[in-house]
């Protein structure tokens, strides 16, 4: 049953996703498996994600493998590593029919019911269904896998059946579902965006309106908005932030807050601690006593109303380039151009990705094409209500300068030789121009990939040519064992690499020939779920040129080891683990900066300082280091290799040992001279 209201069709289209989550196991067992898994979750038997569920179906997979499908269908939630039924899961447990699960999938996945609708007029083959889908909805699917996946599930639900000659037809159950489901037509793609004047936006609560009014009344306040690092558990980041904020509606100790975040999102302690600076910088939490925190008045108002737009308002009032992103993306714009604009606000690519992620979740931005961003009608209306800043590349306040120094945005603290910036530029250009620099197809891109890995410290060479890999990368792990990765470069003028661009046979041959441990494919972007799912199964890491450049810059700034950087080759979670590691390393550098700065300010008056002294002095700063973090930093700075801090009065407990700052210029010069000597030896 097609939706008559075209505007309603667009709402239906936008709220659904493209992919059906994977469910491991035989297709014939899918439905029975889901029923058994939901029953086990309902009985509280899914408390260890790495354990295998005890089902009547032979399975070598763990709960972790099944969780993505169950969560994707909205049947379960994951709290601190324990799966529990959602409201939809409880309803399915009470009525575990094929039609019930089919209804859930129709509610989540684009073109699921529409695939069924194509078979309404006459039986068709998979190829015929795929062709009609692609022509009607302007799809660029490289193969049949997306259509086949949908039809597999339609068969599992007994909505279609094979009538011979490779053709499929509707069953009576399929006809009934088709009459009851709400479907969209290809006309949804022609519908122009609603005019902002037709959209109504609720006014912000008074507490949040005051924050925005301050930006209007005090334009220089724009320059004081934070540029600090952002880190929030995924997915559903805005929701997760609201959960954390609600926990702090009443006063809560630092220890209890961290414990809640660890348990709620199944995080390590270091990851939970790394969130606190952002929670403070974004205006969600404030410290009201020694290691005691509470939600700000604005955050409390957001939690009470539950409106995601109020969160964005708070974020905009406290952090740079939030509403400004919506303005920049008023018309369809590629992400790299957004990142270029962000530099005017002293923000790097990684921070902009986080901000964009929030705005996508709030419905203020959309992705009309891969690597493109565009303001939604809601976004255009919403941004007209925000006080926006001009670019702020010239800092005027000492506070802003200190924030930039801590945050790694100050160019003097995060410089890169011009020759390496040229490499990064070549990498981006050649990723989208196979004939770049007048060389044979892909050669310039392959050379740039090798140069980028060498910049990070790897032994990397371009091989190229027929019958071998494009780039080979070597390093040694912590045990001294040699490790090899091969890299396949895919330069695409269209900006995306599809599944059909990759030859498994060739890559496997190259891997065996070079005795490689890892495989990576580097390109400007990767289109669709097919290539990602396949790469995951084959353990091929997919890395975009933008990701590789950002990792190269960050690894240089933070001094990451090759073994740490090599996490990018690990599938499926290597990139996320590397991101977590870089966040922790950056936090350590931020704490060191604060410690040295505070010693310079206080030592003349106090004579010497301990880790506990610094803990009390710094607890109200954005970074707000823990006592354990400060003890670790003191140990690093007082080590024989550095020695910029010297103990003058030892105590039974390390946090009470008194230190003085001395010879800091000598230490800086010595370390620089040592680094220079090492670099010269490597030339």
């Amino acid at each position: 049953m097609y939706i008559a209201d075209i505007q309603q069709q667009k709402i239906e289209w936008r709220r659904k996703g493209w992919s059906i989550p994977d469910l491991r196991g035989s297709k014939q067992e899918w439905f029975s498996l889901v029923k058994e898994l939901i029953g086990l979750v309902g009985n509280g038997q899914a408390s260890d994600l790495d354990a295998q569920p005890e089902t009547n179906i032979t399975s070598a997979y763990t709960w972790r493998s099944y969780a993505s499908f169950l969560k994707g269908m909205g049947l379960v939630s994951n709290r601190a590593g324990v799966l529990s039924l959602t409201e939809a899961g409880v309803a399915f447990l009470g009525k575990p029919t094929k039609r019930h699960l089919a209804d859930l999938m129709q509610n989540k996945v684009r073109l699921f019911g529409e695939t069924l609708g194509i078979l309404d007029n006459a039986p068709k083959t998979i190829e015929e269904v795929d062709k009609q889908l692609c022509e009607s909805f302007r799809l660029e699917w490289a193969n049949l896998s997306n259509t086949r996946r949908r039809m597999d599930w339609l068969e599992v639900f007994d909505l279609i059946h094979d009538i011979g000659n490779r053709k499929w037809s509707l069953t009576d159950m399929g006809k009934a579902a088709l009459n009851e489901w709400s479907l969209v037509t290809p006309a949804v793609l022609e519908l122009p965006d609603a005019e902002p004047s037709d959209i109504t936006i609720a006014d912000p609560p008074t507490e949040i309106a005051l924050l925005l009014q301050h930006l209007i009344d005090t334009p220089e306040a724009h320059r004081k908005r934070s540029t600090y690092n952002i880190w929030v558990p995924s997915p559903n980041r805005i929701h997760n932030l609201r959960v954390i904020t609600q926990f702090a509606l009443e006063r809560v100790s630092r220890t209890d807050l961290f414990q809640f975040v660890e348990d709620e999102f199944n995080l390590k302690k270091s990851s939970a601690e790394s969130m606190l600076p952002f929670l403070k910088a974004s205006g969600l939490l404030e410290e009201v006593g020694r290691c005691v925190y509470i939600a700000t008045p604005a955050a409390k108002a957001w939690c009470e109303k539950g409106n995601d737009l109020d969160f964005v308002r708070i974020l905009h009032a406290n952090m740079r380039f939030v509403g400004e992103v919506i303005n920049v993306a008023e018309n369809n714009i590629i992400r790299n151009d957004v990142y270029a604009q962000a530099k005017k606000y002293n923000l790097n690519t990684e921070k902009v990705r986080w901000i964009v992620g929030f705005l996508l979740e709030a419905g203020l931005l959309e992705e009309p094409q891969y690597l493109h961003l565009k303001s939604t009608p809601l976004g255009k209306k919403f941004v007209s209500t925000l006080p926006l800043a001009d670019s702020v590349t010239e800092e005027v306040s000492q506070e802003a300068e200190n924030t930039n120094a801590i945050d790694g945005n100050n160019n003097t603290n995060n410089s890169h030789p011009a020759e390496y910036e040229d490499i990064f530029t070549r990498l981006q250009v050649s990723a989208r121009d196979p004939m770049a620099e007048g060389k044979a197809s892909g050669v310039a891109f392959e050379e740039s990939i090798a140069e980028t890995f060498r910049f990070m410290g790897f032994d990397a060479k371009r091989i190229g040519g027929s019958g071998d890999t494009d780039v080979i990368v070597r390093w040694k792990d912590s045990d001294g064992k040699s490790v090899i990765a091969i890299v396949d470069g895919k330069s695409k003028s269209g900006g995306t690499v599809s599944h059909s661009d990759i030859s498994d046979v060739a890559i496997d041959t190259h891997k065996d020939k070079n005795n490689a441990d890892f495989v990576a494919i580097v390109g400007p972007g990767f289109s669709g779920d097919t290539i990602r799912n396949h790469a995951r199964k084959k353990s091929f890491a997919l890395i975009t040129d933008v990701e590789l450049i950002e990792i190269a810059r960050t690894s240089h700034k933070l001094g990451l080891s090759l073994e740490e950087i090599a996490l990018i080759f690990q599938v499926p979670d290597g990139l996320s683990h590397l991101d977590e590691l870089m966040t922790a390393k950056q936090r350590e550098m931020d704490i060191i900066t604060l410690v040295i700065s505070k010693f310079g300010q206080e030592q003349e008056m106090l004579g010497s300082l301990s880790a506990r002294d610094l803990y009390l002095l710094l607890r109200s700063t954005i970074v707000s280091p823990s006592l354990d973090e400060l003890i670790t930093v003191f140990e690093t700075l007082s080590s024989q290799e550095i020695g910029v801090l010297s103990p003058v009065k030892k105590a039974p407990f390390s946090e009470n040992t008194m230190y003085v700052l001395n010879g800091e210029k000598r230490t800086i010069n010595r370390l620089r001279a040592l680094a220079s000597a090492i670099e010269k030896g490597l030339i």
Side-chain angles (χ1 to χ4, degrees):
M1 180 171 63
Y2 289 99
I3 302 172
D5 185 347
I6 194 68
Q7 286 286 357
Q8 190 61 39
Q9 285 193 33
K10 190 152 194 175
I11 293 171
E12 186 81 2
W13 179 261
R14 279 179 167 167
R15 74 176 181 79
K16 293 184 179 181
W18 280 107
S19 63
I20 301 174
D22 282 333
L23 181 62
R24 301 292 186 89
S26 166
K27 180 175 70 174
Q28 289 72 29
E29 299 175 337
W30 281 350
F31 179 69
S32 298
L33 178 59
V34 171
K35 281 204 307 182
E36 288 200 52
L37 293 174
I38 291 301
L40 293 172
V41 175
N43 290 330
Q45 294 178 253
S47 57
D48 182 358
L49 293 181
D50 294 317
Q52 294 179 12
E54 296 182 4
T55 69
N56 293 322
I57 297 169
T58 303
S59 172
Y61 302 110
T62 64
W63 277 109
R64 194 179 301 279
S65 299
Y66 296 127
S68 60
F69 176 84
L70 299 176
K71 289 173 62 181
M73 289 298 101
L75 294 166
V76 306
S77 61
N78 179 0
R79 289 181 176 272
V82 177
L83 299 183
S84 58
L85 294 182
T86 61
E87 184 176 339
V90 172
F92 179 76
L93 184 62
K95 187 181 178 182
T97 65
K98 291 184 177 181
R99 175 59 191 276
H100 193 152
L101 188 56
D103 288 344
L104 289 175
M105 193 166 289
Q106 159 64 8
N107 194 47
K108 294 283 186 181
V109 180
R110 282 182 185 171
L111 301 182
F112 185 67
E114 290 74 15
T115 300
L116 188 65
I118 288 176
L119 295 170
D120 190 26
N121 295 327
K124 292 180 178 65
T125 64
I126 291 179
E127 289 81 3
E128 290 169 338
V129 173
D130 182 75
K131 181 179 179 182
Q132 189 168 334
L133 272 178
C134 290
E135 289 177 351
S136 299
F137 290 92
R138 302 178 190 172
L139 305 173
E140 297 180 357
W141 288 348
N143 51 48
L144 298 173
S145 60
N146 287 298
T147 301
R148 189 184 303 278
R149 186 73 167 166
R150 285 161 172 78
M151 292 184 67
D152 281 345
W153 275 105
L154 291 171
E155 179 191 3
V156 167
F157 297 142
D158 293 334
L159 303 180
I160 63 173
H161 64 130
D162 185 354
I163 62 170
N165 295 324
R166 301 176 54 247
K167 293 196 173 186
W168 296 83
S169 179
L170 296 183
T171 64
D172 289 341
M173 288 179 61
K175 293 176 183 178
L178 196 58
N179 287 330
E180 296 172 24
W181 283 350
S182 298
L183 308 181
V184 302
T185 65
V188 71
L189 303 178
E190 306 291 345
L191 182 67
D193 287 333
E195 291 296 325
S197 58
D198 298 332
I199 297 172
T200 302
I201 296 177
D203 292 333
T206 302
E207 297 86 348
I208 298 174
L210 290 173
L211 297 178
L212 300 177
Q213 189 62 45
H214 178 65
L215 290 180
I216 296 172
D217 297 339
T218 317
E220 60 268 23
H222 283 288
R223 297 179 180 273
K224 296 183 179 181
R225 289 190 294 167
S226 176
T227 60
Y228 198 72
N229 303 327
I230 304 171
W231 194 86
V232 183
S234 299
N236 305 320
R237 297 163 180 168
I238 296 178
H239 170 75
N240 293 343
L241 282 173
R242 185 158 52 235
V243 169
I244 295 169
T245 305
Q246 286 173 333
F247 184 75
L249 290 179
E250 302 294 337
R251 295 185 176 213
V252 59
S253 71
R254 181 187 186 118
T255 301
D256 288 345
L257 177 64
F258 289 162
Q259 191 62 56
F260 171 76
V261 174
E262 290 173 49
D263 294 342
E264 181 73 12
F265 302 105
N266 196 26
L267 295 175
K268 298 177 182 176
K269 182 180 179 181
S270 59
S271 297
E273 290 181 344
S274 67
M275 284 190 63
L276 183 59
F278 168 65
L279 292 172
K280 294 169 64 179
S282 61
L284 297 178
L285 294 187
E286 59 183 338
E287 189 169 10
V288 291
R290 181 176 175 180
C291 296
V292 176
Y293 297 89
I294 194 170
T296 63
K300 290 179 179 179
W302 167 46
C303 289
E304 181 180 347
K305 297 291 185 181
N307 186 347
D308 287 352
L309 297 186
D310 285 333
F311 163 72
V312 177
R313 287 167 171 140
I314 296 171
L315 194 67
H316 175 76
N318 288 280
M319 302 197 75
R320 289 186 194 169
F321 204 55
V322 178
E324 291 79 8
V325 175
I326 307 172
N327 211 35
V328 166
E330 180 179 6
N331 300 309
N332 196 337
I333 185 173
I334 63 173
R335 279 183 177 251
N336 282 342
D337 288 346
V338 174
Y339 301 149
Q341 289 291 321
K343 291 180 181 178
K344 298 178 181 179
Y345 297 82
N346 285 326
L347 257 71
N348 63 25
T349 300
E350 183 60 28
K351 291 164 190 172
V352 179
R353 284 202 195 105
W354 280 99
I355 292 170
V356 165
F358 289 135
L359 298 177
L360 287 169
E361 283 189 28
L364 301 172
L365 292 179
E366 62 180 336
E367 298 177 286
Q369 298 168 253
Y370 188 70
L371 292 179
H372 285 238
L373 293 170
K374 181 183 177 183
S375 302
T376 63
L378 174 63
K380 293 176 182 178
K381 176 77 170 184
F382 179 72
V383 77
S384 68
T385 69
L386 298 178
L388 303 180
D390 296 326
S391 60
V392 287
T393 50
E394 294 183 7
E395 297 301 330
V396 295
S397 70
Q398 185 63 42
E399 179 182 350
E401 289 175 5
N402 290 340
T403 300
N404 281 342
I406 292 173
D407 202 23
N409 283 320
N410 188 313
N411 289 333
T412 60
N413 293 338
N414 189 22
S415 60
H416 299 280
E419 59 182 294
Y420 290 116
E421 286 298 336
D422 288 344
I423 292 173
F424 299 155
T425 301
R426 286 183 61 210
L427 183 66
Q428 283 196 290
V429 171
S430 59
R432 293 157 183 80
D433 180 4
M435 309 302 292
E437 303 176 16
K439 297 179 180 179
S441 181
V443 170
F445 187 44
E446 294 163 12
E447 290 175 345
S448 297
I449 291 171
E451 287 179 303
T452 302
F453 275 101
R454 285 198 294 272
F455 166 70
M456 291 187 282
F458 292 93
D459 175 9
K461 295 179 182 178
R462 176 187 175 264
I463 305 298
S466 177
D468 209 339
T469 190
D470 295 333
V471 177
I472 187 165
V473 180
R474 295 184 175 89
W475 70 96
K476 291 185 182 295
D477 64 17
S478 57
D479 297 325
K481 176 188 173 184
S482 294
V483 187
I484 297 174
I486 59 170
V487 180
D488 191 17
K490 294 294 181 184
S491 175
K492 302 291 290 185
S493 56
T496 56
V497 181
S498 65
H499 178 59
S500 60
D501 295 317
I502 297 173
S503 170
D504 294 351
V505 175
I507 291 177
D508 286 338
T509 301
H510 299 162
K511 183 179 180 183
D512 292 340
K513 181 175 182 178
N514 291 283
N515 195 27
D517 303 278
F518 299 101
V519 174
I521 300 167
V522 177
F526 301 94
S527 62
D529 292 328
T530 301
I531 186 172
R532 299 179 188 281
N533 293 336
H534 187 71
R536 189 179 299 113
K537 291 175 183 176
K538 297 287 292 183
S539 293
F540 297 166
L542 301 181
I543 307 169
T544 67
D545 61 313
V546 173
E547 288 171 333
L548 186 59
I549 290 169
E550 191 63 25
I551 289 168
R553 286 195 176 112
T554 305
S555 67
H556 178 79
K557 181 178 73 172
L558 298 178
L560 300 184
S561 70
L562 296 185
E563 191 168 20
E564 290 169 334
I565 303 170
L567 286 169
I568 61 173
F569 293 115
Q570 295 185 13
V571 178
D573 300 320
L575 276 173
S576 61
H577 289 162
L578 179 56
D579 180 62
E580 184 177 345
L581 173 67
M582 291 190 297
T583 299
K585 292 276 189 179
Q586 180 61 61
R587 178 168 172 77
E588 182 184 10
M589 296 301 106
D590 295 344
I591 294 171
I592 288 175
T593 299
L594 277 177
V595 166
I596 296 297
S597 174
K598 190 57 68 175
F599 260 97
Q601 296 169 16
E602 304 289 346
Q603 183 168 286
E604 184 175 350
M605 180 181 296
L606 300 177
S608 58
L609 296 162
S610 67
R612 181 164 293 281
D613 293 331
L614 266 292
Y615 174 65
L616 298 174
L617 290 169
L618 299 177
R619 73 175 190 272
S620 297
T621 63
I622 289 177
V623 178
S624 189
S626 68
L627 185 57
D628 288 341
E629 288 175 317
L630 286 166
I631 291 171
T632 299
V633 164
F634 270 58
E635 290 173 350
T636 299
L637 296 179
S638 63
S639 65
Q640 185 175 355
E641 295 80 3
I642 299 177
V644 72
L645 290 185
S646 300
V648 294
K649 184 179 180 182
K650 292 194 174 183
F653 298 101
S654 56
E655 65 263 30
N656 295 324
T657 296
M658 306 300 291
Y659 291 82
V660 294
L661 175 71
N662 57 21
E664 56 270 28
K665 292 294 184 182
R666 175 183 57 80
T667 299
I668 292 170
N669 292 336
R670 178 169 56 83
L671 293 176
R672 281 179 177 162
L674 181 60
S676 177
I678 294 172
E679 281 187 326
K680 287 180 181 179
L682 295 174
I683 296 176

